[in-house]
Amino acid sequence: MSTMLAGRLDYKTGEFGMEEVPVPQPGPGQVRIKVAAAGICLSDVHLIDGSLRLETAVDKVTLGHEVAGVIDSVGEQVPAEWQVGRRVLLQAGQPCGACPPCLLGRVGQCQHPLTRGVDYDGGWAEYAIAEHFTLVGVPDDLPLEQAAIIPDAVSTPWGAIVGTGDVRPTQAVGVWGLGGLGAHAVQLLRLVGAAPIVAVDPIPDARTRALALGADHALDPGASDFAEQVRRLTGGRGLDVAFDLAGAPPVWTQAQTVLANEGRLVLVGLAPQPLTIHQTTLFSYLRQQIRGHYGSAPEHVEQLVSLVGHHRLDLSGSISDVLPLSEAPRGVERLVKKEGSPIRLILKP
C-alpha cells in the first residue's frame, strides 16, 4: 500500500478534511506504527475552528496527539527494545533538537518543544512516524483505545495535579469543566488524596458523572449561592487549589472568589482572552497565586501507564465511543456539540 487515509488541517486556509497521502517511511532513529487508536481532543477542535493559534513551521499537518498502535517498521539506529509487533503509545510531543539546551543535551529544558499533530504529523491516520525516544510500551492487558488517551487526556491533568498544582492529601480542590480532562482530574485527585473534591459544570449529566468518578460534591456554577456552597463544603476556608479545565474566562473570575488563604488557581484549559485579577489587594494579602499549566512531562505518561498496570486507575469508562477514521469530521462535530457529554471519542483506522 503506497497511500493511506489521514485527517489533515491546512493552517493557511483553515480547512480540515480527509485525504489520501503517501504512507510515511521511518528514518534513522524512527519507527512507524500502525495506528490502532487516536483520541479526539478539544484542542484539536480549537485548532480546526481557529480559536487556538500556535506558532508552527508547517503549513499543513495530520492532526492527533493521542495515539497508540503497534510498531510496523523500524528505521536504523533504533534500540533493540523497539521491535516490530510491540504495542506502544506515543508521547504527545518531543524536544525541538535545535535550541541551546537541546544542543547541549539538556532536552528536558527545551525552549521550543514540538507537539505531535500540531508541529508535525500526528495519528489521525493509518500509520504514524515516531522518534524512538517518544515511545512508551503498553502492557498486553491494557486496551490500545485506553492507552491512546493517556498522553494529554490523562497526563495533562495528572501533571497539573502533582506538578503545577502541587496538590497534597486533604486539600480542598475544585475542578471546573468535566469533559475529557476534568473527568480524569476527578479520578486522579481522589488517587492523591484530595478532600473534598468539588466538581463544577453547568451540564447536569457531567455533574452526575463526576460524582460517579469520585467527586465528593458536584455544583452548578450558575447557582446564585455558589460561593456560599463552596465555603460550606470546605468548612469555611475555601479551595486550596482550583483547576480550570474549561479554558473559560468566567471560570477564572468565579474561582478567584472561592480560593482559600494561599490558594492557587491553575489554568489548564487554553483560551486567548486576557486574564484579570479581581480585588488585587486582597489577592496579594491572602498570598494567592495563579499558575499556568500546559501538557505534561514524559515521566507523567510513564507514571500513569504504571498506575494503570497496577490497577490503581481504571480508564475503561473513559472511551465514550469508537469511530472509523473516515468519520473524523463527524467526531469533531460531536465533540463541538457535546453530544452525549463524551469523555473521549476514539478514531480507529
Side-chain angles (χ1 to χ4, degrees):
M1 183 173 64
S2 60
T3 64
M4 66 176 186
L5 189 65
R8 304 275 287 171
L9 174 65
D10 189 319
Y11 285 125
K12 292 192 294 185
T13 66
E15 294 181 359
F16 169 73
M18 306 306 296
E19 300 178 10
E20 284 288 333
V21 298
V23 173
Q25 301 300 319
Q30 296 179 331
V31 305
R32 183 177 69 197
I33 74 158
K34 183 173 176 57
V35 176
I40 302 178
C41 176
L42 196 58
S43 59
D44 296 313
V45 173
H46 292 329
L47 283 170
I48 292 170
D49 67 22
S51 61
L52 177 59
R53 299 183 183 277
L54 301 174
E55 292 187 9
T56 178
V58 299
D59 295 328
K60 203 168 190 179
V61 71
T62 298
L63 294 178
H65 54 273
E66 297 179 346
V67 191
V70 177
I71 296 177
D72 168 78
S73 180
V74 178
E76 298 178 353
Q77 303 170 24
V78 172
E81 63 179 307
W82 305 116
Q83 296 294 319
V84 171
R86 184 162 184 191
R87 305 167 82 246
V88 296
L89 62 80
L90 309 184
Q91 295 278 8
Q94 64 188 56
C96 71
C99 67
C102 281
L103 294 174
L104 292 172
R106 298 196 294 267
V107 295
Q109 301 171 25
C110 177
Q111 297 172 345
H112 307 289
L114 305 177
T115 301
R116 189 182 307 280
V118 177
D119 300 295
Y120 59 101
D121 285 342
W124 287 13
E126 295 178 70
Y127 295 90
I129 294 294
E131 302 290 341
H132 71 81
F133 54 81
T134 67
L135 302 174
V136 179
V138 174
D140 289 340
D141 60 351
L142 175 57
L144 290 173
E145 292 83 0
Q146 296 176 34
I149 69 170
I150 290 177
D152 193 22
V154 191
S155 66
T156 291
W158 179 247
I161 290 165
V162 301
T164 306
D166 191 25
V167 176
R168 305 299 176 86
T170 74
Q171 287 189 322
V173 177
V175 178
W176 273 257
L178 301 170
L181 297 180
H184 292 116
V186 168
Q187 294 174 274
L188 297 167
L189 284 165
R190 194 170 184 91
L191 190 64
V192 301
I197 301 168
V198 182
V200 185
D201 199 289
I203 301 175
D205 286 348
R207 297 198 298 270
T208 299
R209 181 174 65 200
L211 292 171
L213 290 172
D216 297 292
H217 310 282
L219 303 182
D220 182 345
S224 59
D225 62 341
F226 176 84
E228 289 78 6
Q229 289 187 66
V230 173
R231 298 288 177 186
R232 183 172 66 253
L233 296 173
T234 58
R237 79 174 190 270
L239 299 173
D240 297 298
V241 191
F243 290 95
D244 167 33
L245 283 301
V251 171
W252 309 336
T253 301
Q254 186 173 62
Q256 288 181 55
T257 67
V258 291
L259 286 181
N261 289 13
E262 301 185 9
R264 45 212 181 271
L265 168 59
V266 180
L267 306 181
V268 184
L270 303 177
Q273 294 91 343
L275 172 67
T276 300
I277 296 177
H278 297 271
Q279 300 185 30
T280 308
T281 300
L282 181 61
F283 184 88
S284 298
Y285 177 75
L286 297 177
R287 299 184 300 282
Q288 294 170 336
Q289 300 178 23
I290 297 177
R291 302 180 181 182
H293 179 83
Y294 184 81
S296 60
E299 59 265 27
H300 293 137
V301 173
E302 294 163 1
Q303 290 165 0
L304 289 163
V305 171
S306 178
L307 287 169
V308 172
H310 286 93
H311 306 291
R312 298 296 192 273
L313 181 63
D314 181 7
L315 300 178
S316 61
S318 297
I319 310 305
S320 302
D321 200 0
V322 178
L323 309 175
L325 174 63
S326 59
E327 294 185 17
R330 172 58 181 146
V332 170
E333 180 184 10
R334 286 178 58 177
L335 190 56
V336 169
K337 295 180 178 180
K338 302 186 186 300
E339 292 181 13
S341 187
I343 296 178
R344 261 309 181 262
L345 299 174
I346 296 294
L347 298 175
K348 189 176 184 66

